Amino acid sequence: MNIFYELHKEIPREGPGNNETTRKAYQTIEKFVSKPTILDIGCGPGMQTMELASLTDGKIIATDMNDGFLDELREKVNQQYFSNKVSVEKANMKSLPYSEGEFDVIWSEGAIYIIGYENGLKEWKRFLNEDGILVVSELSWLKENPPQEPVDFWKIAYPGADSINKNREKAEKHGYEVIDTIVLPESGWWEHYYTPLEKRISLFREKYQHNQKALNTLIEFQTEIDLYRNYSEYYGYVFYLLRKKS
Ligand SMILES: C[S@@+](CC[C@H](N)C(=O)[O-])C[C@H]1O[C@@H](n2cnc3c(N)ncnc32)[C@H](O)[C@@H]1O
């Protein structure tokens, strides 16, 4: 099994996030929609999908490219009797197999970076109906002039990272009105993501002590976690709540 997937398997989330912030974001956009059809892009193991399912009176299509995550989510959906509300489908966010205007809401937590924030805003817009809502969470700079160490790290790991103001401007440029932005609290990085990931890294250091390639991957993840531990005031995950302008 690929070390990346082995490391991430069995942790509750695939990126920073928590139910409280999913709920807060949904409750903010709720007044604009009724019985919405929601597309969840890059759902991973689906913590946010399940939270959305408990909040909405609409329907959700949860999509990802990883069969392991899709199976995991299908199981959760069945266990919690949400199969009348949630369908789980394999779909590539770069070539979505859906019709124009099919969705009232597109939701994507911690995944738009894969296609690029601006590109995602541009490409996904056509799948929203007139004045449909897009909610994405994206790594963003929270303060001006951050220290060199996180700047150097993210310049390589995610050169698209930008400030909240710049991301708001980009959304407006691509024809969205910004309803609100919400900064994920620090606990949302640790509880379901970095803390369980860090535990698995220590476990795997033992297992892969003679495999330098695997060890290098573990070191990369540990570096990312330590960086956040030291510089969390300078960057974070930000939810952008956007409405397509008609
Ligand atoms: C950082 S994870 C976020 C997962 C989940 N939303 C969460 O917050 O836990 C990104 C997800 O995007 C999925 N992904 C990667 N490339 C993709 C693609 N081209 N199309 C759809 N999903 C993709 C990954 O399998 C992964 O589950």
Side-chain angles (χ1 to χ4, degrees):
M1 192 190 285
N2 165 308
I3 173 86
F4 181 92
Y5 184 62
E6 198 183 354
L7 191 63
H8 282 73
K9 208 171 135 262
E10 290 168 21
I11 63 173
R13 296 196 68 109
E14 280 304 299
N18 63 16
N19 282 342
E20 292 68 30
T21 315
T22 301
R23 199 176 317 129
K24 200 167 162 188
Y26 189 76
Q27 285 166 348
T28 307
I29 60 130
E30 207 172 11
K31 56 178 170 287
F32 298 109
V33 292
S34 107
K35 289 200 178 240
T37 303
I38 304 172
L39 178 67
D40 182 358
I41 299 180
C43 61
M47 185 180 273
Q48 74 292 321
T49 319
M50 298 305 287
E51 184 62 15
L52 287 172
S54 74
L55 293 166
T56 188
D57 55 358
K59 296 226 184 283
I60 303 171
I61 300 179
T63 60
D64 204 282
M65 282 302 278
N66 182 303
D67 291 311
F69 296 145
L70 292 170
D71 287 343
E72 217 177 295
L73 179 54
R74 278 190 195 104
E75 212 174 299
K76 289 180 197 163
V77 167
N78 288 335
Q79 271 168 7
Q80 297 197 30
Y81 304 104
F82 276 142
S83 37
N84 56 338
K85 252 189 194 185
V86 181
S87 67
V88 180
E89 299 178 4
K90 188 165 186 170
N92 189 340
M93 67 169 81
K94 295 175 183 169
S95 53
L96 290 167
Y98 302 109
S99 311
E100 293 203 359
E102 189 172 339
F103 298 100
D104 303 299
V105 177
I106 293 181
W107 199 278
S108 184
E109 291 195 25
I112 194 171
Y113 77 91
I114 292 159
I115 188 171
Y117 173 79
E118 250 193 291
N119 201 26
L121 296 188
K122 207 164 60 188
E123 292 297 317
W124 297 346
K125 193 173 167 195
R126 78 179 89 113
F127 299 104
L128 284 172
N129 68 17
E130 228 181 285
D131 67 24
I133 307 274
L134 175 62
V135 176
V136 297
S137 67
E138 164 81 340
L139 186 119
S140 311
W141 294 107
L142 303 178
K143 282 187 177 176
E144 283 185 23
N145 305 317
Q148 205 53 43
E149 200 180 342
V151 170
D152 288 345
F153 178 88
W154 288 113
K155 209 191 293 172
I156 293 166
Y158 184 44
D162 221 332
S163 68
I164 298 178
N165 277 342
K166 286 269 166 52
N167 283 335
R168 291 177 76 110
E169 281 170 19
K170 287 175 189 169
E172 278 158 13
K173 180 176 112 191
H174 289 288
Y176 297 89
E177 168 201 343
V178 180
I179 299 169
D180 206 354
T181 57
I182 302 171
V183 179
L184 178 75
E186 285 185 29
S187 57
W189 284 71
W190 293 107
E191 191 182 358
H192 304 297
Y193 188 51
Y194 276 168
T195 302
L197 190 61
E198 201 165 32
K199 281 199 190 121
R200 284 180 83 73
I201 291 172
S202 332
L203 212 78
F204 282 38
R205 273 187 200 270
E206 208 40 46
K207 177 172 172 186
Y208 287 111
Q209 55 184 305
H210 303 302
N211 177 340
Q212 195 51 48
K213 206 169 158 220
L215 283 176
N216 288 344
T217 304
L218 298 179
I219 291 166
E220 275 169 32
F221 276 109
Q222 188 62 54
T223 306
E224 183 189 315
I225 296 172
D226 291 339
L227 191 84
Y228 186 70
R229 190 170 274 124
N230 294 331
Y231 298 108
S232 56
E233 67 191 284
Y234 294 98
Y235 62 92
Y237 254 87
V238 178
F239 280 66
Y240 296 88
L241 283 52
L242 313 173
R243 184 147 74 136
K244 183 172 163 178
K245 283 193 206 151
S246 32

